[in-house]
Amino acid sequence: MMQFFKVKESNLNSDLKGGNEILIYSLLEDRMQASTKNKDFFSKKFNDYYVIYTRDELAMKLGVNVSTITEVFKRLVKKGYLVMKHQFNGATKLFLPKFENETSPEANNDNVKREIQRPEIGKPNSSRTPNSNNKQTIYTRDTCSETNSKKIVAITQKEKQAAKQKKLNELEINALSNSLETKAGFSKRTVNMLKALSFNDPKKLYQLSGMVFKAKNVVKKQARNVRNSQLALSFENNNSYEDMAVDLQRIVMTASRSKRSNVEGYIFSSLVNYFQEAVNDYCSHDVLSVIG
């Protein structure tokens, strides 16, 4: 079965260069005509319709290599004719900022050269929502198309930066967690609790674990003349630290629920008391065993 599609005269007179750019963009526009009649191809996030057209499909239809389609896509993006929104679990969504819907009654008016205004991304616009019978507001200035392209690209850049920052945070928190286990002697359960209380934020984890070490050092100085106090403060030797994860959760959660103005101060003083009790319990048991 033969398939026909329309190549607009405006595309021939545009800055599209070569047959491939004109044909590929015309195919995308042809499919966009169908997309505007189907609400399933409307993106609420970008408040606009999009096209699903894979590079393999285009390459097969035009009898060219996929690499050729890729290069044309890059040129269309650079010229502002195409915005690509990649999806990790599906085909890439293709937005056409300069697409003009010829089914609109106003588009048949040849008295004035007009182009359909694209809505600003993220802002409601009744003329670009599904089930609106494709009624669109017409303006004589082509400014919104360029604005939309830039905003979609800006959003994509922000998402990439957010993903990069998330990855860096994961690497940082994993390195800090490993150090707390291998060098500081925390149990894995205690480290996991510290991570949870820090909401997997490396800065908060560093701050909370630092308060634990500081409180421990305060008690270490206080008990420097107490026999076996160093063993009492050792995570490996004192069995009372087996439940440290539970104790940390209790201290932090109590501080969070309280209406105290200095939450960090309450946590720190509670940690000091915690280590003081650990030393007292350990050393008193040691004395009793010696006397017995």
Side-chain angles (χ1 to χ4, degrees), residues 8 37 44 50-51 69 84 92 123 125 159 183 195 216 226 255 265 278:
K8 295 180 183 179
K37 300 174 184 178
K44 292 182 179 179
Y50 62 87
V51 172
I69 304 297
M84 304 173 67
T92 300
K123 293 185 179 181
N125 188 310
E159 290 177 346
K183 296 182 179 180
K195 289 167 62 177
K216 182 181 177 183
V226 177

Side-chain angles (χ1 to χ4, degrees), residues 157-179:
Q157 290 297 327
K158 287 182 179 180
E159 290 177 346
K160 289 182 179 179
Q161 291 175 358
K164 181 179 180 181
Q165 186 60 48
K166 182 179 179 181
K167 186 64 177 179
L168 290 174
N169 286 346
E170 289 177 356
L171 293 174
E172 186 176 354
I173 202 166
N174 288 337
L176 182 54
S177 300
N178 183 64
S179 178

